[in-house]
Amino acid sequence: MRSKRVFLICAVLVIGVLLFSLSACAKEETTTSSAPATTAAPSTTAGPETTAGPTTTGAPAGEVKTLKIGTIMPQTGPLAILGLAFTRAWDLYAEDVNQAGGVKIGNDTYQIKFIHEDSKGSAEGASTAASKLVNQDKVDLVIGAILESEMAAINQVTEAAGVLYAQANANIPGAPQDVSSDKPLQVRPFINHDETGPIDLDYIAKTYPEAKKIALSVPDIGYEGMVERLQAQVAARGMQIVAQEKWPWGTTDFVPIMTKLNAAKPDIIWAMVSGQANDQLKAARQLGFKGVFVSNSPLGADVFVVTVQDPAALTDVICNSVDVTHPTPEVKKLMDAWQAKWPNDPFISDAVHAYDMPWVMVQVMQKAGAIGDAATLVKTMEGMTNPGDIQTLHGPGYIGGADRFGVNRVLYRPLPLSRIMNGQIEFIGFMEPVKE
Amino acid sequence: MTKRGWTKLLLWVGLVVIAFALPTILRRDPYWLTVFCLLAINTLLVSSLRSVTLINEISLGQVGFAVIGAYAHAALMMKAHIPFWPSLILSSLFSALIALAVAYPFLKVKGIYFSILTLLTAETFRLVAYYWTSMTGGSLGLTGVPGPGKQQVPFVGEVNFDRPANYYYIAVGVVLVALLILYWLERAYISFQWRAIRDDNLLAGAVGINVIGYKTINFVIAAFMAGLSGALFASYQHNLSPDTTSRFGVSMSIYLLVYMVVGGKDYFVGPLMGTTVLMLIAEATRSSQQYQPMITGAIAILVILFLPMGLVGIPKQVRSWRRVKRLRAAGVDGVNPAGKEGKA
Amino acid sequence: MSSLDLWLQATVNGIALGWLYVLMALGLTLILSIMGILQLAHGEIYMLGAYAVHYLVGRGLGLYPAIATSMFIMAVLGIILERGLFRPRSGREVVLCSIVISTGLTLILTSAIVVIFGLYTKSLPLLATGSVEIFGAAVPKDRILAIGFSVLALVLLYLFLKKTRLGLAMIASAQNREGSFLKGINPNRMSMAAMAIGCALAALAGALAGAILQLQPYMGALPMIKGLVIIVLGGLGSIPGALIGGLILGLIDGIVPVFFSPAVASVGPLVVVILVLLFRPKGLLGHD
């Protein structure tokens, strides 16, 4: 009998606490829902404390403040090497800025502070990391992520908190992750690697006039739209795609895929945007493919040389990512800084892409005159569409993408084009992305 | 009620009170609420795994049923536009239904084979989700899984449960109810049959217990709970991806087991303890990055070597060590601490 | 190129993969049947073996001596692991303990390799470059060499198991632990031998895979799953079963992605194994 009474008391206690805390959260709700009337920003759910942070408003001019940028990259798991390259580049960017005394945005000077978080290569990890960055660290900007699922998870958190999200690597226009008008606070200061299609094709038409038949190797992660686009570009040059193979994400052995592509007797094997183009080259050459190999991926030509080893395989390889053997002065500076800091680790060319990201965002903030409100920054960025509006490590760039994404929120900049012959990298030049 | 029963009840009540007071305490930092939300969801998944150990089997496939629950919930809400609560129950039931369908052949398999079988089944479910792109979005993931949305709560008014801080109440509440059901089942009459089966499968059959039948009930309930945790996760995260690195991968299946053993598999609160400790350690060591897995691994090995009863079993362990020490001091030989009863 | 050539290429590739799987599965099946444990860190031994070769090659050793040394080191490591971690302790459930310990080991070894060797993808010297023509189809030379080494290792293992007392004792122990114990076979010695041989074979598989593909700290996960699939398919403790299971899986991985789709190749074997487990719980060539 007594135990029953105890049970009842406990139950009442529990229900009481439940109601109390629920009413507390409902109160919170009412305070936040009244907030947007005054700030007029879409950041309704963030609560008053994020919008009135010490970095945004009310400070006297000329003060040195901190621009907090949260980064989310896989630092453990199979993609951790990319996380390493990106976060190191960001640290080097922060060093560059802070050693120069900070960056002037509006009337204030800002020191840059990065807070790095691990996404563990999963959407769940990315979401938790984003929650930590926006809620606990109260960052002004979130950048990063590699996998499409990670980016979707991050955007869901940042958008709800009214924080700007600069994503790193979405390659798939039209996929639910990429920039579009229904994701108001997401931008991409990163070039789409399939922009190189026309450049590569024109170069091939000029250098290998007899090569007409293309076999496509496509990662099976929703690249259909990009394949269609490439098909049109190929057809416009009198070439044709004779075979197309999709491989699932996580493939390590490319021999089966290349066996099948090679069976179509192509003149060109075209590895669509993938970090594993080097493995594909290795497999294709081992199977006796002698033609042109095109990689439009973020992999630098140097990566091919180091990983494929065999000079016979490293011939007629066309590559249009970073060419570390022919860097621009800015890229050279970055490489030297890297080598000075991590003398035992070879430079990873992905760092070049990464370095541009916070730099572009800072330029947007400078143009807007404040680091503040995310929606204004996006609007400012959408206006920077003239060539030269943005500086990058590869020279002047601009923001574009309305033709493909419906909004101008994607970085465009000159693309280096290189060819590997007998294991040696030949630099061909910087090419402007062509709209087609 | 005994004194121990009292302390136990008080502990439980304290736990529940703290769980529901947390959002008020942590109002300035919703990040920790998201961590606790995940913690609750994981605890349910680990408890479902523990529930299978009651019939002396180790299921490494609970994640597989979580996949089903998660995607069924997403499909029901997004395609069939069923409201949150019915969808939550329906998707868990669906997951239980799948378990029922496979239960008979699965439960004929025993021991290590059962573990491998369930592990591979979970991986198959994940791969099906991965390749069935029209339904699940494949590796791009499924975005925009709705949450419970705005709901009328008596005495409080309208609450938007899509916010992580408020979804916390739903997650913790549902998990608590689920745990209560599991607890009740463990104390109920049916658990006698389960224990009989656990202790001696053949004997249980010989005395007239329908072994497969009771095993099936256990397996289906565990699958229901796993499905429920998957569905809760889908609405929490709002997007799902079936990548290897996601929570539906093989490694998660195995981690769940580690959570359970570290907490103490013989105790009902073991899963809660193990999940809490390991997840909080993982959060606390965020900055150590590549050393982080090492810490978790070391804890798992140390616990199994030195604390075979898990973290919850520490008091008992300490008592047994003391007893052995006392006996040794008194000159009694041939006694070893509990759990290490000599090689004989 | 005719479709016959395509078949040939796919088959050779499948067999090469299959032999690597066989090496993994043989170790796993010995460990599983003799020790009765699920050693989930076997994939990490495979990875460690490959990294050991990488380290030794970097110290100036030739590729083949390095592979042999790595196999020896891993065998010793196997013995240490058996003595220190996996030897059954009374009062604990053997299977459960082994899963947790090996999971912990997986985490520790992977992050240790990350800390020591960094995240950079490493490569080993190529076994051979280019390809040979077989009936007009180009077949990569390194894969043929890998097949050769695997077959050699298997023949040696077979001779050991059939011609030496220790080997015969191991077979007996794998087939019937209690019975062999009654016959005076020391189970602890058998466990040590199983771990040593299993780890050495995993190291060989890792080294060959590292030379054909690449080295990453996370390379062990996939072959581990393949190994589990194979030993279930072939039957617990059955060496011919592991051989046949491995080759079947290798052929599936080599041929199915070429003629059907990668999706079928990855889901298919799992479904087959589940069916085998359900209807022949002791595996295709298993025994009671």
Side-chain angles (χ1 to χ4, degrees), chain C residues 45 73-83 192 195-196 199:
Chain C
I45 303 287
I73 297 173
M74 288 308 131
V76 173
L77 179 72
I79 292 174
I80 296 172
L81 289 179
E82 197 277 328
R83 291 294 314 246
M192 274 163 67
M195 274 296 271
C199 290

Side-chain angles (χ1 to χ4, degrees), chain A residues 14-244:
Chain A
V14 169
I15 292 168
V17 172
L18 207 154
L19 285 178
F20 166 72
S21 41
L22 265 180
S23 63
C25 84
K27 241 180 270 157
E28 205 185 336
E29 190 79 13
T30 48
T31 51
T32 47
S33 56
S34 69
T38 49
T39 54
S43 54
T44 51
T45 48
E49 53 279 28
T50 47
T51 46
T55 47
T56 47
T57 47
E63 207 179 306
V64 176
K65 300 186 204 161
T66 309
L67 172 61
K68 272 199 272 185
I69 304 179
T71 77
I72 301 171
M73 289 299 281
Q75 286 163 359
T76 48
L79 290 168
I81 185 70
L82 286 172
L84 178 92
F86 273 67
T87 45
R88 281 185 176 181
W90 289 330
D91 286 339
L92 290 173
Y93 174 73
E95 254 172 46
D96 285 353
V97 167
N98 296 345
Q99 274 167 13
V103 59
K104 204 160 157 46
I105 298 172
N107 293 323
D108 299 316
T109 307
Y110 286 91
Q111 294 272 321
I112 290 181
K113 185 182 172 213
F114 280 105
I115 300 168
H116 301 306
E117 288 297 337
D118 183 5
S119 73
K120 303 188 169 98
S122 71
E124 186 188 344
S127 167
T128 314
S131 173
K132 175 176 180 292
L133 289 171
V134 299
N135 292 318
Q136 196 173 58
D137 301 321
K138 313 242 183 272
V139 295
D140 303 296
L141 166 70
V142 173
I143 60 178
I146 294 287
L147 293 178
E148 275 73 15
S149 53
E150 292 174 332
M151 291 186 268
I154 294 171
N155 188 54
Q156 243 144 6
V157 176
T158 51
E159 197 174 297
V163 176
L164 184 59
Y165 171 42
Q167 66 161 7
N169 201 24
N171 289 309
I172 311 161
Q177 285 76 23
D178 220 327
V179 291
S180 69
S181 52
D182 61 349
K183 290 182 280 293
L185 303 181
Q186 178 170 324
V187 297
R188 176 146 67 86
F190 202 98
I191 194 154
N192 219 55
H193 273 277
D194 77 328
E195 293 296 345
T196 59
I199 299 172
D200 294 333
L201 288 170
D202 286 338
Y203 178 72
I204 291 170
K206 203 174 73 193
T207 323
Y208 305 95
E210 69 291 350
K212 295 284 179 210
K213 289 189 285 181
I214 300 178
L216 268 188
S217 156
V218 187
D220 190 9
I221 46 175
Y223 278 13
E224 285 77 9
M226 285 155 72
V227 172
E228 256 171 52
R229 196 171 124 94
L230 185 68
Q231 257 159 353
Q233 293 163 352
V234 166
R237 285 163 181 79
M239 304 179 187
Q240 55 163 329
I241 292 175
V242 291
Q244 178 190 331

Side-chain angles (χ1 to χ4, degrees), chain B residues 31-271:
Chain B
Y31 157 64
W32 281 105
L33 284 184
T34 62
V35 172
F36 285 117
C37 211
L38 270 179
L39 202 157
I41 293 170
N42 283 346
T43 303
L44 180 57
L45 200 51
V46 180
S47 292
S48 82
L49 168 64
R50 184 180 167 278
S51 156
V52 184
T53 63
L54 292 181
I55 52 166
N56 200 23
E57 296 292 358
I58 301 164
S59 163
L60 293 177
Q62 296 310 103
V63 163
F65 295 111
V67 174
I68 295 175
Y71 280 102
H73 180 62
L76 283 176
M77 284 196 82
M78 293 168 79
K79 301 225 156 121
H81 303 290
I82 294 175
F84 176 78
W85 289 106
S87 163
L88 195 69
I89 301 300
L90 281 177
S91 52
S92 315
L93 280 176
F94 182 66
S95 170
L97 199 70
I98 300 271
L100 185 64
V102 299
Y104 183 74
F106 269 45
L107 290 167
K108 292 236 153 193
V109 181
K110 290 188 201 80
I112 213 164
Y113 276 117
F114 182 80
S115 301
I116 300 176
L117 174 67
T118 44
L119 183 76
L120 297 179
T121 307
E123 181 68 357
T124 310
F125 288 161
R126 183 187 73 80
L127 284 171
V128 167
Y130 190 92
Y131 288 112
W132 192 2
T133 43
S134 61
M135 193 69 179
T136 65
S139 69
L140 287 179
L142 190 66
T143 51
V145 182
K150 291 197 168 72
Q151 300 206 347
Q152 244 7 86
V153 179
F155 306 115
V156 178
E158 199 182 62
V159 176
N160 178 10
F161 282 105
D162 281 351
R163 293 184 50 203
N166 294 340
Y167 188 74
Y168 172 88
Y169 291 106
I170 290 197
V172 169
V174 170
V175 168
L176 272 177
V177 171
L179 287 182
L180 267 178
I181 293 173
L182 283 176
Y183 187 78
W184 172 75
L185 281 171
E186 210 175 315
R187 295 282 176 287
Y189 184 65
I190 193 170
S191 83
F192 286 105
Q193 274 90 349
W194 288 343
R195 272 152 219 262
I197 292 167
R198 178 187 66 185
D199 294 339
D200 196 330
N201 205 344
L202 291 175
L203 186 65
V207 298
I209 294 174
N210 180 353
V211 173
I212 284 287
Y214 281 104
K215 274 182 150 183
T216 305
I217 295 174
N218 180 301
F219 189 63
V220 167
I221 291 171
F224 178 89
M225 294 304 173
L228 184 62
S229 97
L232 278 176
F233 177 78
S235 270
Y236 155 78
Q237 171 106 19
H238 299 303
N239 59 34
L240 293 170
S241 84
D243 291 327
T244 343
T245 46
S246 75
R247 64 161 25 232
F248 303 128
V250 172
S251 49
M252 186 70 182
S253 291
I254 299 164
Y255 286 162
L256 293 179
L257 190 82
V258 174
Y259 286 166
M260 177 184 79
V261 172
V262 167
K265 130 183 143 51
D266 297 332
Y267 302 91
F268 187 79
V269 284

Side-chain angles (χ1 to χ4, degrees), chain B residues 281-320:
Chain B
I281 286 178
E283 282 303 318
T285 53
R286 250 177 183 286
S287 51
S288 61
Q289 289 166 9
Q290 69 256 48
Y291 292 93
Q292 197 191 34
M294 221 187 263
I295 299 168
T296 313
I299 292 175
I301 292 183
L302 290 177
V303 164
I304 205 129
L305 288 185
F306 300 108
L307 299 169
M309 287 182 268
L311 294 173
V312 183
I314 287 179
K316 202 173 165 192
Q317 189 85 53
V318 170
R319 272 202 298 278
S320 83

